Amino acid sequence: MRCIKLLILTIFVLSCGGRRTVPQQRQMEYASLLKVTDNAVISICPYDGSQDTLRIDKPLGRIVCMSTSHVAALDEIGCDSVICGVSGAGYISSPALRERLERGEVSDVGYDQAPDYEALLALQPDVVLAYRVSAAASPFIDKLKSLGIQVFTLYEFLENHPLARAEYLKAFGLMTGRLSQAESRFQEIADSYNSLMEDGLNPKSSSPEGSVPRPVKVLMNIPYGDLWYVPGDDSYMSRLVKDAGGQILGALAGKTESGVMSVELAYILSSQADVWLNTGWCNTRESLLQAHPFFNKFKVPSAYNNTLRTSPKGGNDFWESGSVRPDLILKDLRTIFEAVRNGGAADSLHYYLKVY
């Protein structure tokens, strides 16, 4: 009888221990292409639904970032010191990382179209964080794997909710042993964003008490060649604009991908626009009017560009730190829209500058 009791106790202890080792998945509130457990990051490929798993047995100490958004995520949780290599060093906006690049503490490994494989091998990274922009297999990723370098692909740039992109902080927190700090930081950003969104959709200064303000009509982008791309109505940029109390003119309902309109249609829509946003390489009224001869017919009252924070070689921090700080982008847009409603000029902006 004693042996039987001992056997039962042993089975109970082993079974309890087994349950403790089952990874616990953390619920993603916004991200649709990411899963995080207590010992692994799982990335979901949007092109075929396959999953890529990065198992974390101990904090990673050497990471190569092929995207500036990966740099921003590690910077946001205070772990930029683990970055040993980056792609396109000249486009990095982070001042701290640019200093480390100048001191030779971080290497430029080139682009995935023309990588420096020798530099990558010499770095001996724990992982190379990559991305893919199509369903086609990446020769760069396949080559790294053949060299014995661990590669993990993330798709945060394809998430359409601004907070979904910021939620990738949790993945970077697990990689570096700072998951609890990353979760806490994400919650702070989410709370800030949601509070700003509520204020933006219900501005107190521009509408009679109890009334719903009219959305600010936004003309978005400028043409590249003869093609004028407009974000779909369910896209990342449209969500930011809507959450700030605006509406992008010409955005196709139910679409996440961008649509295309002619300059002539943009001219027609411009007569409805309250503000012109994201004016490409044009940061002044003069450069905007020189960019296309048709623009001198546009009567949009004011314009702002998301290029206030650019690196010396043209990298745009809007796409770097903005990927993990959508609340700061939303604050800018809300400030601009309030100025538009009140007939004034927006100031104290983080990512945007006034074109005219």
Side-chain angles (χ1 to χ4, degrees):
M1 179 63 71
R2 183 178 178 184
C3 291
I4 293 174
K5 289 181 178 178
L6 182 61
L7 178 61
I8 293 173
L9 179 62
T10 301
I11 293 172
F12 175 76
V13 170
L14 289 175
S15 65
C16 288
R19 281 195 295 271
R20 284 197 299 271
T21 60
V22 174
Q24 298 298 311
Q25 183 170 315
R26 286 162 169 78
Q27 184 66 37
M28 294 291 106
E29 298 176 61
Y30 301 92
S32 62
L33 302 174
L34 178 72
K35 298 178 183 177
V36 176
T37 73
D38 55 8
N39 67 354
V41 180
I42 302 167
S43 182
I44 304 167
C45 176
Y47 307 118
D48 59 15
S50 62
Q51 296 187 358
D52 189 8
T53 301
L54 177 65
R55 302 201 179 278
I56 309 297
D57 298 319
K58 60 181 180 179
L60 305 181
R62 296 183 64 77
I63 296 176
V64 171
C65 299
M66 299 303 293
S67 169
T68 60
S69 61
H70 304 159
V71 171
L74 288 165
D75 197 10
E76 187 64 31
I77 59 174
C79 289
D80 60 298
S81 61
V82 306
I83 300 171
C84 62
V86 295
S87 172
Y91 293 96
I92 298 294
S93 294
S94 166
L97 194 60
R98 288 211 306 268
E99 288 180 7
R100 293 188 62 217
L101 282 160
E102 291 174 1
R103 293 196 298 266
E105 299 170 2
V106 178
S107 298
D108 188 342
V109 300
Y111 303 96
D112 53 4
Q113 300 90 347
D116 186 338
Y117 290 112
E118 290 187 5
L120 282 162
L121 281 169
L123 288 173
Q124 297 183 320
D126 294 321
V127 68
V128 173
L129 298 177
Y131 62 93
R132 279 170 53 196
V133 296
S134 73
S138 168
F140 166 71
I141 293 174
D142 291 341
K143 177 66 173 180
L144 287 182
K145 290 180 178 179
S146 73
L147 294 173
I149 297 175
Q150 182 171 223
V151 185
F152 188 61
T153 307
L154 291 167
Y155 302 94
E156 80 290 339
F157 65 99
L158 293 176
E159 298 278 5
N160 291 307
H161 196 295
L163 285 174
R165 300 188 184 190
E167 196 166 20
Y168 279 65
L169 286 173
K170 297 176 183 179
F172 289 90
L174 181 64
M175 292 180 203
T176 55
R178 295 176 62 89
L179 179 56
S180 61
Q181 294 94 325
E183 289 177 325
S184 176
R185 186 69 187 115
F186 168 72
Q187 194 58 55
E188 292 172 355
I189 293 168
D191 289 345
S192 173
Y193 185 98
N194 288 324
S195 176
L196 286 163
M197 178 181 65
E198 291 175 7
D199 289 345
L201 296 178
N202 299 282
K204 300 178 177 61
S205 62
S206 57
S207 300
E209 187 174 354
S211 68
V212 177
R214 176 184 68 80
V216 171
K217 304 293 185 181
V218 177
L219 184 67
M220 179 69 68
N221 299 332
I222 61 174
Y224 289 86
D226 293 326
L227 301 178
W228 193 310
Y229 292 95
V230 184
D233 198 49
D234 290 341
S235 69
Y236 169 81
M237 199 66 219
S238 287
R239 181 61 186 257
L240 280 163
V241 168
K242 284 191 284 189
D243 286 351
Q247 176 187 355
I248 295 178
L249 295 168
L252 295 177
K255 298 291 185 180
T256 57
E257 64 273 16
S258 293
V260 177
M261 66 180 176
S262 65
V263 175
E264 290 75 17
L265 177 56
Y267 167 66
I268 294 172
L269 294 176
S270 72
S271 64
Q272 307 169 32
D274 301 306
V275 65
W276 194 345
L277 292 181
N278 297 11
T279 54
W281 59 90
C282 302
N283 291 327
T284 64
R285 179 191 284 271
E286 291 70 26
S287 61
L288 190 58
L289 294 178
Q290 291 170 6
H292 199 288
F294 217 49
F295 286 172
N296 61 12
K297 298 182 180 180
F298 285 31
K299 304 300 181 183
V300 187
S302 61
Y304 293 83
N305 204 7
N306 59 348
T307 53
L308 180 60
R309 300 166 66 87
T310 55
S311 70
K313 294 188 178 180
N316 190 345
D317 198 35
F318 180 91
W319 302 111
E320 185 174 318
S321 70
S323 64
V324 292
R325 293 303 308 272
D327 57 321
L328 295 180
I329 298 176
L330 188 65
K331 184 178 181 181
D332 274 5
L333 292 175
R334 183 184 161 219
T335 301
I336 291 169
F337 294 171
E338 279 292 282
V340 167
R341 287 190 176 101
N342 297 324
D347 54 16
S348 301
L349 300 172
H350 191 79
Y351 294 109
Y352 277 85
L353 58 81
K354 186 172 177 60
V355 177
Y356 68 82

